[in-house]
Structures are given as structure tokens and as C-alpha cells.
């Protein structure tokens, strides 16, 4: 029991710092710790509650680049996607899901890091933004992974770091509020989760503030490298957690 609590705390500290620095990533980092020791639904509840807390702190600390018109399609799409993710959560093969998503991130993000000039997507307009937001909403309903695809999309859009962070930060905040409310309404937040939530929230507060402070001093290029590097590490963590389980079924 004590070792599990240490894993919960370490996951919250690391995930809070990453979220403060990049504006996303709490779920990716936290799950790389918690997936080994916590039951999937409990891990999802802790991830969403921790990520929501981190976004509230980060939104108060970093407010540059906010554009309501640019943000709206992502949020509307995300709101449509969250119920789909919540419905899929008890039915989806999470190991297969992580295998596919992890493979995509591990192959695509390093290629973008190594490219001298990133490809820039200019077509699709607000409709494409809304579809990406919907995909982020679905992943949020599955366990707080709201920022992965919208972050990758904003990077391919070529947005500057303040605009990108404002979109992801406020998109995540809206999605996580709705997701956590849905978890409460559907009974996913149980009494067993409450003591661990009381550990996660205070453990992540100071690391989140440290991350937001560091963010203010980094350049556009460094921010892009951090984002793509985090997405790559997230993909690796998903593969490490899912590949052995998938292979075990096939043997």
C-alpha cells in the first residue's frame, strides 16, 4: 500500500510539472506511472481530476495568446466527443488503443523533430479544427488524454507558442470540466478514489507553478521541441504499457 502511494505522488509531481510547462500532458505522464499499479478506471478518475486542477492553476498563471474565435471550434467539437469517450471507456480494449496511438506518436513526432522545416497545414479551416477537437474530446472521455491530438494539430498549423498554449490550455480546461462532471454523474468517482484524489491535488500544485514559470522563458523553437519530445515519450510509455499485454494474448 505504501509503495502504491509513492507511485501516485511521484506521478502527480512529474505530471504537474509537465502540464505547467507545456499546457498539456498530465494524463500522458501520470498514466506512465499509474498504469502499472492502479485499476484503469481509478487511474482515469485520478488523471482527470489532477489534470483539471493543473489546468486551473496554469490558466491563472499563463494568460497570453487567448483567442476566443480560434478556440471555439475545438471546444464545440470536444464537447461532442466527450460522451462518446465516456461510453467507450468500459467497452474499449485500452491496450490495443494505446498500442495504435503510441505507435503513431513514436513514428510521427520524432520525424517532425528531425525535419528542418515542419509541414504546415493551412486547409480545413474551422471544420478541421472542430474534428480534431472532437477526437480530443473522445480521448478525454477515455481518461484525460484531451491534449494529445489537438496539440499535434496546432503544431502542424504552425501557431506560435502563446497561441498554441492558449488553445490547448483552455480546450483542456473545458474538456476536463465536462469529463469530470460526467464521471461524477455516472458514478465513476467512487469513495475509494477520494483519498487518492486528496493526495494527487496538493502533490501537483507546486510542480505545476514551477512549470508555468519556466514556460515564460523558453523560445518558440524550444517550446516546439518540448512539445514534440513529450508526445514522443508519451507514445513510448503507451507502447511499454500495452505491447507486453497484447503479445501475451497472441501467444
Amino acid at each position: 500500500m505504501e509503495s502504491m502511494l509513492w507511485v501516485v505522488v511521484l506521478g502527480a509531481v512529474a505530471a504537474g510539472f509537465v502540464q505547467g510547462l507545456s499546457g498539456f500532458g498530465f494524463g500522458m505522464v501520470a498514466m506512465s506511472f499509474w498504469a502499472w499499479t492502479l485499476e484503469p478506471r481509478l487511474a482515469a478518475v485520478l488523471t482527470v481530476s489532477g489534470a483539471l486542477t493543473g489546468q486551473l492553476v496554469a490558466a491563472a498563471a499563463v494568460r497570453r495568446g487567448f483567442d476566443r474565435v480560434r478556440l471555439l471550434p475545438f471546444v464545440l467539437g470536444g464537447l461532442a466527443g466527450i460522451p462518446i469517450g465516456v461510453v467507450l471507456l468500459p467497452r474499449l480494449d485500452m491496450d490495443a488503443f494505446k498500442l495504435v496511438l503510441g505507435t503513431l506518436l513514436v513514428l510521427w513526432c520524432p520525424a517532425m523533430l528531425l525535419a528542418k522545416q515542419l509541414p504546415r497545414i493551412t486547409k480545413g479551416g474551422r471544420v478541421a479544427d472542430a474534428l480534431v477537437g472532437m477526437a480530443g474530446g473522445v480521448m478525454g472521455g477515455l481518461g484525460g488524454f484531451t491534449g494529445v491530438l489537438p496539440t499535434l494539430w496546432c503544431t502542424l498549423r504552425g501557431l506560435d507558442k502563446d497561441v498554441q498554449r492558449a488553445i490547448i490550455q483552455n480546450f483542456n480546461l473545458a474538456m476536463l470540466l465536462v469529463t469530470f462532471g460526467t464521471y461524477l454523474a455516472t458514478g465513476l468517482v467512487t469513495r475509494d478514489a477520494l483519498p487518492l484524489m486528496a493526495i494527487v491535488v496538493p502533490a501537483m500544485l507546486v510542480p505545476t507553478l514551477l512549470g508555468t514559470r519556466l514556460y515564460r522563458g523558453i523560445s518558440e523553437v524550444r517550446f516546439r521541441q518540448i512539445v514534440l519530445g513529450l508526445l514522443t515519450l508519451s507514445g513510448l510509455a503507451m507502447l511499454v504499457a500495452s505491447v507486453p499485454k497484447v503479445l501475451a494474448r497472441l501467444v
Side-chain angles (χ1 to χ4, degrees):
M1 181 66 177
E2 185 177 348
S3 61
M4 184 198 71
L5 293 178
W6 276 111
V7 170
V8 171
V9 170
L10 289 173
V13 169
F17 177 77
V18 168
Q19 187 176 43
L21 177 61
S22 65
F24 78 106
F26 187 95
M28 299 183 299
V29 176
M31 279 295 191
S32 68
F33 287 84
W34 297 343
W36 303 98
T37 56
L38 300 179
E39 185 271 329
R41 293 189 190 183
L42 175 58
V45 169
L46 293 181
T47 297
V48 171
S49 62
L52 175 58
T53 302
Q55 289 297 353
L56 289 170
V57 173
V62 181
R63 302 179 183 179
R64 295 178 293 185
F66 181 77
D67 184 339
R68 184 180 303 172
V69 175
R70 192 184 288 272
L71 173 66
L72 187 60
F74 288 95
V75 172
L76 293 177
L79 291 175
I82 285 175
I84 300 172
V86 172
V87 170
L88 289 176
L89 179 59
R91 300 171 175 82
L92 186 68
D93 185 336
M94 287 299 291
D95 293 324
F97 172 74
K98 289 177 182 177
L99 178 61
V100 173
L101 181 59
T103 301
L104 170 66
L105 293 175
V106 166
L107 293 177
W108 183 247
C109 295
M112 294 174 66
L113 271 171
L114 294 173
K116 293 183 178 179
Q117 185 172 359
L118 289 178
R120 179 170 294 191
I121 298 176
T122 57
K123 297 182 179 180
R126 310 248 182 256
V127 173
D129 292 344
L131 290 175
V132 172
M134 179 181 288
V138 171
M139 293 178 65
L142 291 174
F145 301 105
T146 51
V148 176
L149 294 181
T151 298
L152 190 58
W153 180 253
C154 287
T155 302
L156 290 172
R157 283 289 203 199
L159 304 178
D160 68 58
K161 76 182 184 84
D162 286 339
V163 173
Q164 179 173 328
R165 182 184 175 110
I167 289 174
I168 299 306
Q169 186 169 275
N170 289 285
F171 171 79
N172 281 343
L173 179 57
M175 297 305 101
L176 290 165
L177 279 169
V178 176
T179 300
F180 192 68
T182 306
Y183 279 13
L184 287 170
T186 56
L188 283 174
V189 181
T190 64
R191 290 185 179 180
D192 293 339
L194 296 180
L196 292 177
M197 289 169 59
I199 293 173
V200 167
V201 171
M204 61 173 293
L205 289 179
V206 172
T208 300
L209 289 171
L210 290 175
T212 59
R213 184 166 184 172
L214 182 60
Y215 163 80
R216 298 188 185 101
I218 61 178
S219 66
E220 295 277 351
V221 172
R222 185 65 64 193
F223 180 72
R224 187 175 71 241
Q225 291 171 341
I226 289 171
V227 166
L228 293 174
L230 287 173
L231 290 173
T232 302
L233 290 174
S234 171
L236 286 171
M238 290 181 188
L239 291 179
V240 169
S242 61
V243 168
K245 295 179 181 179
V246 172
L247 290 178
R249 297 179 197 170
L250 299 177
V251 176

